[in-house]
Amino acid sequence: MFLRQGLVAFLAICPVSAAWAVPATEEGALRLRGVFQTYFGGTEGVVSVTPQGESYELRIDPAPLLAQVPAEQAQVSVSALTYQLTDNGDGSWGVSEDQTFSWSVVVPKMFEQKGSTKVESTGIWDEALMSFREQTSVMTDYVIDSVQYAPPLAPDPEAEAQEPPAEPQVISRDHQRTARMEMSLTGAPGKAGGVDQAMSFTAEGLEQSQEILMGPGGQPMQIQITAPGYDGSGQITGARTEGMLSLLAWFVAHPSGELIKGSQDALRDKLSAAMPLWDDLSMDATVRDLKIGSPLGEFGLASTKVTIGMSGATPDGRLQEQVALSGVTVPEGVLPSWVAPILPQEVTLDFTASDFDLAAPARMLIEGFDLTAEEPFAKLVPEQLQAALLPRGSFDLKLAPSQIKGDGYQIDYRADVAAGPAAPPSGSALITATGLDKVEEALAAAPPEQAGQPLMMLRMARAMAKPGASGENVWDIQMPEGGGPFTINGQPMGPATSQP
């Protein structure tokens, strides 16, 4: 998605004039070619633009650029990409494609990969936003095949005669296929600047097979992963598309390390203009009926949902992660018989870290690097970076109501804690549980060498619990500010935790 959007994005690098009005003209094609050539440098044969009635055909062939990569380092090939661009006459461009995209990468004696997919997409690129107002795309038969090799052995400097290098040893082979993926995207001006984007996506027919070689002469281990599909959504507010695209164009204009070092003050300006990259970003995805085949049998998850959220390089930093698993299945015979009745069927975890500053340390890193020095960040003081990241010496860690649930029992937990490297944690946590009799019975029936310690810990925990309103076990944990012993249901536990 980013590749397709990024290519068209560079329409916005140069000012647009009425010369690009419909119908397509040779003059318009020449100007378009110049815009895209800005991104891909001066290498001939990479960019071509041809007027075709009321649209332009844009063709990008990476081959001349990739041919400059030394073959002993890597051999990379990417199929030529073709797009149709139509000037809407209102500061926006219609963008469409219908093509097969393929690639291959070979890093000698280390890694090989081949991939291909058919792509169809349509969208409206907005010059003022430097983003798509809207875009829909469909990818079908998305296939990737990879081979991983073991790192070559280093020669023995003390050996008089060196044996010729052995052929690289394959350690894994991987095949992945997705039958169909669909994505839709919308963009609008952000209320506080930048661009707000919303995205939804679905995929169908997921399959992966992996072969892991267990050493020379060993039997390969086969892993098979399948799922009917997944779906999800994403949101980003305040994306600084102009700054990020300008930064990419700057690197294209400075393709070597020496050029970058000689213009590092300009690089500082470009990095600063791209900050904070975005204001806030979140994404969620749910995988349905995941099956994992292994030599031990088939493992399964009926539903797997993951949500991730994070701020950009802003003063009010935030990181959030939510995980929800349900319908866990394990092959018969893998677990001891006493474990099966208490195997969790649902697990949720929802935590958020906040009250830290990403803007200040990002500014210090941008202002403090020196690419001409042997250690580019030697001037930066770690203690100052830490103080900038945590202005009050700690961050907030909040565990939203989460749960572990099995057949006949349930454990709920939540917490709100302040923590940092220079102070003991403070705050509170609450744990409640029902049905622990069943868990204790299962542990008591197990061989002592397998469950003796967990059983002892469970009995100790239950002895410290207090009864809740509905008869559940409750553990109210309090951690005072400034140190001191933490308490469980008012009972002090252990020595003071204050630091000198």
Side-chain angles (χ1 to χ4, degrees), residues 88 119 126 165 268 319 342-343 351 369 379 385 404 449:
N88 294 330
V119 186
D126 190 312
R268 270 186 251 278
L319 173 65
I342 58 173
L343 182 69
F351 72 86
F369 71 76
K379 295 180 181 178
L385 282 171
I404 298 174
E449 65 273 13

Side-chain angles (χ1 to χ4, degrees), residues 254-318:
H254 299 76
S256 70
E258 291 305 314
L259 288 173
I260 292 173
K261 291 176 183 178
S263 303
Q264 65 176 358
D265 287 337
L267 175 58
R268 270 186 251 278
D269 293 339
K270 293 294 183 182
L271 287 168
S272 297
M275 292 296 114
L277 302 180
W278 63 81
D279 294 331
D280 198 70
L281 177 151
S282 63
M283 183 168 291
D284 66 82
T286 301
V287 183
R288 305 180 300 277
D289 197 21
L290 180 67
K291 304 291 186 184
I292 304 173
S294 76
L296 299 175
E298 186 178 85
F299 297 80
L301 276 169
S303 175
T304 306
K305 182 174 182 178
V306 177
T307 301
I308 296 175
M310 64 183 71
S311 66
T314 63
D316 51 343
R318 179 186 73 95

Side-chain angles (χ1 to χ4, degrees), residues 44 54 76-77 124 151 215 234 279 294 341 362 365 390 493:
E44 288 296 323
E54 295 185 351
V76 184
S77 65
I124 298 176
D279 294 331
S294 76
L365 290 168
L390 302 174
M493 305 297 295

